[in-house]
Amino acid sequence: MASTASGNPLRDPRDRRLPRLPDNSALVVFGATGDLARKKLIPAVYDLANRGLLPPGFVLVGFARRDWSDEDFAAFAREAAERGARTPFREDTWDRLASSVRFRSGSFSDDAAFDGLVKLLADLESSHGVPGNAAFYLSIPPPAFPVVLKQMQRTGLASNEAAGGWRRVVIEKPFGNDLETARQLNSLVDDVFTPDDVFRIDHYLGKETVQNLFALRFANTLFEPIWNSHFVDSVQITMAEDVGIGTRAGFYDETGAARDVLQNHLLQLLALTAMEEPVSLGAEAIRTEKLKALRAVSLPEDFATYAVRGQYSQGWLAGERVRGYLEEADIPATSATETFVAVRLGVQTRRWAGVPFYLRTGKRLPRRVTEIAITFTKAPHLPFDETDTTELGNNQLVIRVQPDEGVTLRFGSKVPGSSMEVRDVAMDFLFGEAFTEALPEAYERLILDVLLGDATLFPNNAEVEESWRIIDPLEDFWQSTTPHAYRAGTWGPAAADEMLSRDGRRWRRP
């Protein structure tokens, strides 16, 4: 708990209804002029300031190669905030924030630049009342991690003792390219920072709907009794994107959909869906249950049937003709990188044994959507004539992560009239309609949690390594295969549909 809250005798530190305010601190963004900083991080910082959630002594420090002054970076940050902020742009909010924006120019191998950063952070104690507290956000390509981390080790930037406050590091995915490289990265990071000060960010865990899984499951008696293999037929987790690879050709062609999305986002959603109730909502208790769920994940025996890769070809999307993956700029004509993955996994626990978890992700699909669909078993006996229920399917609970965040419950109901006909109807809950508070962006919540030192929504190194244990065998199998082609604007290759049809099921159409 931040000192501002713990010093209030009228407030119970266990009461989480009121927002928590971090201690005076600095957020240092390496790669501060890149796309992630411009589109997500700087707007999130502005939104936190606009909501009154940053401490009076907060400083945003940018570090990049451009030969900029503090004023140049402030102008860049203002434009980013005006374009990307969720909350209205207010001059008074910006003026307060702009007075605490600093910039340091230099390459990651520039000793003098890092020495200058040390001096800047030390000077903030007298200028802004920052008692050595700093979070370092590595918004940089993964190959640059070792260089930056070793510079921080050399200069003592990572040392809580030397700083006289706390020092934390935020690492963006991917966390390595396989289990071996993930272990190497984890070892390097843990050599520089203490494990409790390392925050591996998965922005999907910052989304309000994902966090609502805890409330949905554990605050209600309605769902938890049937959240098991006795009542659940199958689980589908989908993350679909309608966009292509954009300007990420170099990164994406080396990474692919499995490493980019399946290894982190989708497996984290699986863990939250399959985990047991934690003893508390503390970070360690939640991580323990997620890790147990990941360790119980089993791979299909037949990879050729239940692990499908795809690559989009040219097609039509939203009325416009779009290029195929091999026609994208800077993509080799012989590339075998997948843009679509569908796989069937199991969770070998008493709760989930026998229930298939179908995970899929892809680019250039018909629409952007992320959802978790829990499909329940059919009633063991229906007292209706067969013709009465031809339009009746399985009951289904759908948690929509994005967009149109909310929950849909599908169940059977009689059609009004003199005849007897039972068909599916849907009951919708939308966050935007049920609450007056607009949903915060994921990066708002996660940046605030880093400053507060709350690691609840951040996977630890054990979770990362367990995820690679699941992905590595799939990647090894796919090395000798060619992705199935699918037209842009469709829901993936036919092989993905055949995968479910073999089990007597079909993909839910979002």
Side-chain angles (χ1 to χ4, degrees), residues 382-393 411-425:
L382 292 173
F384 306 96
D385 290 336
E386 188 175 340
T387 56
D388 297 344
T389 58
T390 55
E391 298 295 320
L392 179 66
F411 55 92
S413 177
K414 178 186 175 299
V415 177
S418 57
S419 61
M420 172 54 74
E421 181 183 359
V422 181
R423 68 170 62 167
D424 290 331
V425 295

Side-chain angles (χ1 to χ4, degrees), residues 17-334:
R17 292 173 297 175
L18 295 176
R20 296 169 291 170
L21 201 65
D23 296 323
N24 288 351
S25 51
L27 176 64
V28 181
V29 180
F30 291 103
T33 58
D35 279 354
L36 178 63
R38 178 171 55 85
K39 294 178 180 178
K40 296 294 184 182
L41 304 184
I42 293 173
V45 167
Y46 170 82
D47 287 329
L48 288 172
N50 218 8
R51 294 166 61 198
L53 295 178
L54 293 179
F58 172 81
V59 182
L60 174 64
V61 180
F63 189 106
R65 290 185 179 181
R66 299 192 189 184
D67 187 16
W68 279 0
S69 64
D70 293 346
E71 291 74 20
D72 293 330
F73 180 57
F76 171 85
R78 177 187 176 117
E79 183 181 358
E82 286 183 311
R83 284 190 175 188
R86 176 182 62 86
T87 57
F89 189 84
R90 296 165 49 192
E91 289 291 342
D92 57 338
T93 298
W94 176 252
D95 289 343
R96 288 195 303 272
L97 190 58
S99 65
S100 299
V101 170
R102 299 291 184 270
F103 187 79
R104 282 297 172 267
S105 175
S107 68
F108 300 144
S109 58
D110 185 349
D111 289 354
F114 276 84
D115 294 339
L117 181 59
V118 172
K119 184 179 185 306
L120 169 63
L121 293 178
D123 291 344
L124 293 181
E125 182 162 9
S126 57
S127 64
H128 288 76
V130 177
N133 300 331
F136 302 93
Y137 201 117
L138 303 190
S139 178
I140 57 179
F145 286 176
V147 179
V148 173
L149 288 169
K150 287 174 182 176
Q151 285 279 23
M152 297 176 77
Q153 188 175 43
R154 177 188 68 81
T155 56
L157 277 169
S159 171
N160 294 326
E161 184 178 351
W166 50 255
R167 292 294 166 94
R168 298 168 187 150
V169 64
V170 185
I171 301 175
E172 274 280 349
K173 71 174 185 69
F175 312 113
N177 289 316
D178 53 27
L179 180 57
E180 181 181 353
T181 55
R183 284 175 172 164
Q184 291 171 356
L185 177 60
N186 285 334
S187 176
L188 175 62
V189 174
D190 288 347
D191 280 346
V192 179
F193 287 85
T194 57
D196 289 343
D197 292 329
V198 179
F199 291 74
R200 295 164 182 83
I201 196 165
D202 183 338
H203 72 273
Y204 262 67
L205 300 186
K207 291 183 178 294
E208 199 72 28
T209 337
V210 173
Q211 298 165 51
N212 194 47
L213 268 171
F214 295 130
L216 188 75
R217 290 188 57 188
F218 306 132
N220 303 294
T221 58
L222 181 61
F223 301 114
E224 192 63 14
I226 58 173
W227 205 269
N228 56 60
S229 60
H230 297 297
F231 299 97
V232 175
D233 171 79
S234 60
V235 178
Q236 293 183 21
I237 304 178
T238 296
M239 178 185 164
E241 297 180 274
D242 54 2
V243 297
I245 59 170
T247 59
R248 302 170 71 213
F251 164 79
Y252 198 90
D253 200 55
E254 290 184 5
T255 307
R259 291 188 176 104
D260 188 37
V261 176
L262 180 61
Q263 182 270 335
N264 39 74
H265 299 332
L266 292 189
L267 286 180
Q268 283 291 319
L269 293 181
L270 180 151
L272 290 170
T273 304
M275 65 184 273
E276 295 298 322
E277 180 178 347
V279 295
S280 72
L281 286 183
E284 197 57 39
I286 291 174
R287 284 170 160 180
T288 296
E289 298 304 331
K290 284 166 58 185
L291 184 58
K292 285 160 62 176
L294 288 172
R295 285 175 174 164
V297 170
S298 63
L299 292 162
E301 293 182 4
D302 182 4
F303 281 5
T305 301
Y306 291 107
V308 175
R309 289 198 309 159
Q311 186 185 86
Y312 65 83
S313 58
Q314 63 178 350
W316 291 86
L317 195 62
E320 295 184 3
R321 191 167 189 82
V322 296
R323 293 179 294 185
Y325 180 75
L326 298 181
E327 287 80 51
E328 298 279 12
D330 301 322
I331 295 296
T334 57

Side-chain angles (χ1 to χ4, degrees), residues 382-462:
L382 292 173
F384 306 96
D385 290 336
E386 188 175 340
T387 56
D388 297 344
T389 58
T390 55
E391 298 295 320
L392 179 66
N394 294 55
N395 296 157
Q396 198 170 63
L397 179 70
V398 180
I399 298 103
R400 295 189 306 278
V401 177
Q402 69 172 12
D404 304 324
E405 293 89 346
V407 179
T408 295
L409 180 63
R410 190 178 75 184
F411 55 92
S413 177
K414 178 186 175 299
V415 177
S418 57
S419 61
M420 172 54 74
E421 181 183 359
V422 181
R423 68 170 62 167
D424 290 331
V425 295
M427 182 181 296
D428 268 346
F429 154 68
L430 295 171
F431 272 92
E433 293 180 358
F435 301 103
T436 56
E437 175 76 12
L439 292 184
E441 278 289 331
Y443 281 97
E444 290 178 54
R445 171 66 189 268
L446 295 176
I447 289 173
L448 182 61
D449 281 356
V450 170
L451 298 178
L452 289 165
D454 186 342
T456 304
L457 300 178
F458 297 82
N460 62 9
N461 57 2

